[in-house]
Amino acid sequence: MPVPVPRQRDTPATESGQAVLYTAAPAATGTGDAQATPQPAQPPHPHPTQPPAPQTPTAAPHTSQLTLLVIEDDPAGGLTVPEILDADGHRIRLRTARNLTEAERLLTPDVHCILLDLSLPDAGARLPGSPATGTGTATATAVDQLLALRQVLRLAPHHAVLVLTGEDDAERAAEAVQVGAQDFLFRDELDGRLLSRAIRYAVERKRADIAQYKLAESKLRAQENARLERGLLPTPLLEGSDLRFAARYRPGRSRALLGGDFYDTVRTPDGTVHAMIGDVCGHGPDEAALGVELRIAWRALTLAGLCGDDLLATLQEVLEVERPCEEIFATLCTVDIAPDGRRAGLCLAGHPAPLIARPGRRARLLPYENSGPALGLLPRARWPRRQVELGGSWSLMLYTDGLIEGRIGEGKERLGQDGMVDMINRHLDRGLSGEGLLEASVTEARRLNGGELTDDVAVVLLSRAEG
């Protein structure tokens, strides 16, 4: 039996904080139409044998009693909504709002679907943002009706929306679906069974649309990650070299994209192996893109024959041109290993010094005195190139500061370079090397931090075994 939804004539939404919830009551025996009983608005109680329903507008219908918010703007009387039941036979809760101000107040997380009447007088004119007239009772035009729908969609982007109209306005109803409504219904054909089915369909379709959107978004994000990873973490060019290469990269927590850490290794025609690791300050796609540009520029300049101070000065020019703001800078560590593998040139631009490990000796940091500033900090800066002796067999580890800035336990103490050196020596004593050494080191730094490290971590290991 159709149940008229009572109006809220005496208590405008702008003057009262008390929402009114209308639940369709069953028809009484021996009487005429069932009457709707106003009750104080409260979130639906979960079934006593079920856990509380998820607080999302698109929760599955079988996990929570459905709630329908009816938005209509007819001051002369209420829209007649038939008694409707959900799939489990429970009555669907009804709420009504005369405008978007009321609708926003009644749009609590337990509302699953919105029914917007497009054909009632003043359907668009009295909603916020709609054209006003001198009399205040103008009939809404088709443009106004779709404007009202667009406002509802902006107000409730995660809710299912149904529109109600007359059969003579089928074209406008179809346009409403194109704008974003899940479905449309004709007023003259409205009954409880049809409306109940339409609500369930709209809710499930909205859930599917959101899931599809999130899937597409995750695929795009994965593609972005892959493109950035190819740019930041390239394949080393070491053909003809007797050096072994290993690397690890772990993004910091709460970021979907790789950060600004980058590295590269190439062998030039004269047999020299050049390696680099760098870190753009900040996190996010802009910093990652800048890291890719610096990494590609470094490879191109290295293959063109630049090295040491000349190379870093040119990279600073690239950074100054490409960075989004003057506050952005980058740290960098470069090494060029002689063809015989026994000597290397080292340049540091505000970056932590590499670690060297030799058989039978404790691992230690390479000299870092007289290093230059980070790229982008000082104009016309210089970066001295220091010659270091490597020996016959060795392992050289380059890393970003994410590895050493993690905390130790619950206090404020950081791992630091000294702590990292001790950690590496413990792993070397266990016989670890190559990929295993890097994985164990990054894993232990994360464990000591009590969870994911806040900064990205990049580590590169070059090793040589004589004889």
Side-chain angles (χ1 to χ4, degrees):
M1 212 42 152
V3 179
V5 178
R7 306 300 308 158
Q8 300 180 49
R9 297 190 184 93
D10 300 332
T11 311
T14 56
E15 299 178 3
S16 172
Q18 177 66 44
V20 178
L21 175 67
Y22 298 101
T23 305
T29 305
T31 63
D33 293 349
Q35 298 298 316
T37 305
Q39 302 173 5
Q42 296 178 355
H45 295 288
H47 192 279
T49 61
Q50 298 289 339
Q55 291 298 299
T56 58
T58 53
H62 65 275
T63 62
S64 173
Q65 184 176 2
L66 287 174
T67 301
L68 175 67
L69 175 61
V70 180
I71 303 177
E72 51 137 337
D73 198 36
D74 180 10
L79 168 68
T80 299
V81 177
E83 179 181 292
I84 44 181
L85 306 177
D86 62 18
D88 296 328
H90 301 119
R91 291 182 181 84
I92 295 178
R93 294 173 179 266
L94 301 178
R95 297 180 184 176
T96 61
R98 290 172 293 185
N99 51 51
L100 287 188
T101 300
E102 264 188 29
E104 185 173 9
R105 184 166 57 85
L106 296 176
L107 195 61
T108 53
D110 58 306
V111 172
H112 298 86
C113 187
I114 297 171
L115 178 63
L116 174 66
D117 189 353
L118 295 181
S119 302
L120 292 174
D122 286 349
R126 292 183 56 179
L127 291 174
S130 301
T133 65
T135 62
T137 59
T139 301
T141 65
V143 175
D144 294 331
Q145 293 166 8
L146 291 185
L147 175 60
L149 173 60
R150 290 188 177 95
Q151 291 172 325
V152 169
L153 294 174
R154 285 195 296 270
L155 178 65
H158 302 297
H159 289 73
V161 178
L162 295 170
V163 294
L164 185 65
T165 187
E167 291 188 19
D168 57 347
D169 204 15
E171 182 177 351
R172 186 63 56 193
E175 291 180 8
V177 174
Q178 293 178 354
V179 169
Q182 271 59 60
D183 203 352
F184 64 87
L185 299 168
F186 293 132
R187 182 184 296 101
D188 296 339
E189 298 178 355
L190 192 63
D191 60 38
R193 183 177 181 182
L194 175 63
L195 181 56
S196 176
R197 183 170 65 247
I199 293 171
R200 294 198 302 271
Y201 168 77
V203 169
E204 292 301 327
R205 180 176 177 182
K206 186 64 177 181
R207 293 181 69 223
D209 289 345
I210 292 176
Q212 186 66 28
Y213 174 81
K214 289 182 178 179
L215 177 61
E217 187 180 52
S218 66
K219 288 181 178 178
L220 288 175
R221 200 177 300 276
Q223 292 172 1
E224 291 176 355
N225 266 334
R227 285 194 293 269
L228 283 172
E229 184 173 349
R230 287 193 296 270
L232 291 168
L233 320 177
T235 301
L237 300 180
L238 289 174
E239 185 177 356
S241 173
D242 61 351
L243 301 185
R244 295 192 303 273
F245 173 89
R248 277 290 180 273
Y249 186 100
R250 185 188 293 272
R253 64 171 177 244
S254 303
R255 285 191 303 279
L257 296 176
L258 298 176
D261 291 7
F262 54 97
Y263 61 78
D264 203 353
T265 305
V266 298
R267 182 175 184 266
T268 50
D270 64 355
T272 302
V273 172
H274 303 261
M276 170 271 291
I277 195 166
D279 183 2
V280 177
C281 69
H283 308 286
D286 290 339
E287 289 75 11
L290 183 56
V292 171
E293 292 181 90
L294 292 175
R295 203 269 318 156
I296 293 174
W298 177 88
R299 175 174 283 201
L301 294 170
T302 299
L303 293 175
L306 270 68
C307 183
D309 182 74
D310 292 337
L311 173 60
L312 292 174
T314 308
L315 283 178
Q316 174 157 284
E317 293 181 15
V318 174
L319 172 68
E320 291 172 346
V321 171
E322 299 295 335
R323 62 186 174 184
C325 63
E326 294 185 357
E327 289 74 23
I328 297 297
F329 63 89
T331 66
L332 204 69
C333 168
T334 69
V335 294
D336 53 278
I337 303 170
D340 63 5
R342 302 184 68 87
R343 300 176 309 281
L346 170 66
C347 285
L348 297 175
H351 201 88
L355 176 146
I356 186 168
R358 302 182 180 94
R361 299 167 64 178
R362 306 297 289 174
R364 64 178 181 85
L365 297 175
L366 289 180
Y368 51 85
E369 297 85 0
N370 300 321
S371 62
L375 302 181
L377 289 183
L378 299 175
R380 297 180 297 277
R382 311 306 296 178
W383 294 271
R385 177 178 177 274
R386 181 161 187 161
Q387 190 79 10
V388 295
E389 294 295 326
L390 300 178
S393 298
W394 47 264
S395 293
L396 190 64
M397 191 179 84
L398 286 65
Y399 53 93
T400 57
D401 57 9
L403 181 64
I404 60 177
E405 290 186 347
R407 298 184 183 277
I408 301 178
E410 298 180 355
K412 296 182 179 181
E413 185 180 357
R414 306 281 182 172
L415 176 62
Q417 287 181 291
D418 292 339
M420 179 198 67
V421 172
D422 292 340
M423 176 180 68
I424 295 297
N425 280 315
R426 288 197 302 272
H427 294 315
L428 290 173
D429 291 341
R430 294 169 50 201
L432 296 179
S433 63
E435 299 277 355
L437 175 63
L438 297 188
E439 182 64 28
S441 300
V442 174
T443 300
E444 182 173 352
R446 179 176 175 272
R447 179 185 61 79
L448 292 172
N449 190 59
E452 288 294 343
L453 297 165
T454 56
D455 198 2
D456 306 304
V457 176
V459 190
V460 171
L461 186 69
L462 291 169
S463 303
R464 180 177 184 268
E466 189 175 47

